[in-house]
Amino acid sequence: MLDDFLIRAILAGLGLALVAGPLGSFVVWRRMAYFGDSTAHAAILGVALALAFDLSIYAGTITVALAVAVLVTALTARGQAMDTVLGVIAHSALAFGLVAISFVPAARVDLASYLFGDILAVGRSDLVWIWAGALSVLALLVWRWQKLVTASVNEELAMAAGIDPRLERLALSIALALVVAIAIRIVGSLLISAMLIIPAATARRFAATPERMAAIASILAALSVLTGLLASLYLDSPAGPSVVAAATVFFVFAQGVRSR
C-alpha cells in the first residue's frame, strides 16, 4: 500500500501533467519559453505577499502571475520588445520577491520549497487548488483550441479568418499564469517551464497533428511524474528536480529512437 503523502503527490503531479501537455505544446509552437520563466520567477513575489499578509499561497501567486500576463500583453501592444519586457519583469519581480521574503521570518526556511518544489508535502487543500486550476486551464484551451492553433500557425491567416491574435495571446498568457501558480508547490518556480517544454518537445518528434502532440505530451508528463517520484523514493533525491530529470531522460531517449 502506498502512503497517503505519496498518493497525494501522484495526484498532484498528474493534475499538472494533464494540462502541461496541451499548454506546453503552445509554449513550444509559439516560442514562449521565456514567458513561462518570467511568470514563474514573478510568482516568488506572490509567495512573499501571501506569506506577509497570511493569505493562501495560490491566491498570492495567481494574483501576481495574472498581473504579469496582463502587463506583458499591454506593454508589447505598445511596441515594446517582448524579450526586453520579459527580462525586466522577470528579474525585477524575482528581486522584489526575494527582498520581501527576507522580511518574513517564517518564509526563509521554506524558500527552497518554492524555488524547487516540494510535491511530497502537498496536502488535500493543495490538491483542490491544483485540480481546479488544471481543469480550468484545460477547459479554456479546449474552448479556444482551433483559434489558438490558427493564431499560433500564422497570425495573418488568423486575422483573415476573423481571429484576433492579441486576444489569443492574452488567453495563453492567462493560462500560463494559472499553471505557474498551481505548479509552484510541485516542481518550484525554477523548474515550471521545464515541465511545460520538455514533454512537449519530446512529443513533437512523434506527432503529426497538434491534438496528437498535446495528448502524447500529457502522457509523457504523467510518466515523468511517476518515474521521478519513484526515483525520489528509492534514491532519496529531491522530488521536483527528479521529475524534471525523468522528463529529460525521456527526451534524450526519444531523440535516439527517432533517429533510428
Side-chain angles (χ1 to χ4, degrees), residues 31-256:
R31 295 179 174 88
M32 294 179 69
Y34 196 22
F35 183 95
D37 276 333
S38 301
T39 310
H41 291 168
I44 292 297
L45 178 57
V47 171
L49 294 175
L51 293 172
F53 294 100
D54 196 24
L55 301 173
S56 166
I57 294 298
Y58 298 103
T61 52
I62 286 175
T63 301
V64 171
L66 287 176
V68 168
V70 173
L71 182 60
V72 169
T73 303
L75 290 176
T76 52
R78 293 185 176 185
Q80 294 285 346
M82 173 71 81
D83 57 345
T84 302
V85 171
L86 290 175
V88 171
I89 291 177
H91 300 303
S92 300
L94 179 60
F96 278 111
L98 294 175
V99 170
I101 281 181
S102 69
F103 292 102
V104 185
R108 296 176 188 175
V109 178
D110 297 330
L111 182 58
S113 66
Y114 298 117
L115 292 174
F116 302 104
D118 192 7
I119 189 173
L120 297 179
V122 168
R124 296 187 180 183
S125 61
D126 295 318
L127 285 178
V128 174
W129 277 97
I130 290 168
W131 275 91
L135 292 175
S136 298
V137 171
L138 192 63
L140 174 64
L141 294 178
V142 170
W143 173 42
R144 307 197 66 83
W145 180 263
Q146 198 55 54
K147 292 182 178 180
L148 287 168
V149 171
T150 304
S152 299
V153 172
N154 190 308
E155 291 195 352
E156 293 182 358
L157 178 64
M159 293 176 67
I163 300 170
D164 186 353
R166 292 174 299 179
L167 180 60
E168 306 311 318
R169 190 159 50 242
L170 178 60
L172 275 180
S173 300
I174 292 173
L176 267 172
L178 290 173
V179 169
V180 164
I182 65 173
I184 196 166
R185 287 297 302 272
I186 301 175
V187 291
S189 67
L190 298 182
L191 300 175
I192 292 171
S193 290
M195 278 305 293
L196 290 170
I197 297 168
I198 297 176
T202 307
R204 194 175 193 176
R205 306 278 293 181
F206 304 100
T209 65
E211 292 78 12
R212 186 174 298 175
M213 177 173 165
I216 295 175
S218 289
I219 293 172
L220 288 170
L223 290 175
S224 299
V225 168
L226 296 175
T227 305
L229 286 176
L230 190 63
S232 174
L233 185 64
Y234 284 100
L235 301 177
D236 196 25
S237 57
S242 296
V243 170
V244 176
T248 305
V249 170
F250 287 132
F251 175 80
V252 173
F253 179 75
Q255 308 312 304

